[in-house]
Amino acid sequence: MGIIRLPSIISSLKQFHKLHSAVARSQITDVPKGHLAVYVGETEKKQRYVVPIAYLNHSSFQELLQKAEEEFGFQHSMGGLTIPCNEDAFFHVTSRLNNSL
């Protein structure tokens, strides 16, 4: 098992939160080229995040997509891709992917 680099994870999480905050503040409905919007959460109140499409190639993100397929199939009530996991788990996966890109 590898060593967890806490400062690097915290930095990645801050960058991800900034991106999410910027999108939420400006009410941008378009997704930038090379990205996709996903809704994350286990309850009715889900958060929208915009992630690079490069994440789709990574097995850890594919595991999240498999959970979405098992729970929702292709019928997503939010109108977009919904990932049924808690936000902490999503942040953990995306911060690792952000470091690997």
Side-chain angles (χ1 to χ4, degrees):
M1 184 160 206
I3 297 173
I4 297 176
R5 299 174 303 179
L6 189 57
S8 147
I9 291 173
I10 291 172
S11 174
S12 296
L13 284 174
K14 285 180 181 178
Q15 290 174 352
F16 196 78
H17 283 288
K18 283 180 185 177
L19 174 63
H20 179 292
S21 296
V23 169
R25 273 194 315 270
S26 62
Q27 299 296 318
I28 296 173
T29 56
D30 294 325
V31 177
K33 184 176 181 177
H35 291 74
L36 73 140
V38 296
Y39 294 90
V40 178
E42 296 176 307
T43 63
E44 287 294 316
K45 185 178 179 186
K46 295 178 177 35
Q47 292 293 320
R48 181 179 186 257
Y49 296 94
V50 177
V51 298
I53 59 171
Y55 286 5
L56 297 174
N57 294 324
H58 294 273
S59 61
S60 55
F61 198 79
Q62 290 173 2
E63 288 175 24
L64 294 177
L65 295 177
Q66 287 174 342
K67 286 178 73 174
E69 181 184 12
E70 290 169 6
E71 183 157 332
F72 300 109
F74 294 106
Q75 302 298 319
H76 295 270
S77 63
M78 298 293 292
L81 180 60
T82 304
I83 299 177
C85 72
N86 68 48
E87 289 184 79
D88 289 337
F90 181 75
F91 289 148
H92 178 73
V93 169
T94 55
S95 66
R96 284 191 327 195
L97 293 176
N98 197 30
N99 288 334
S100 70
L101 293 179

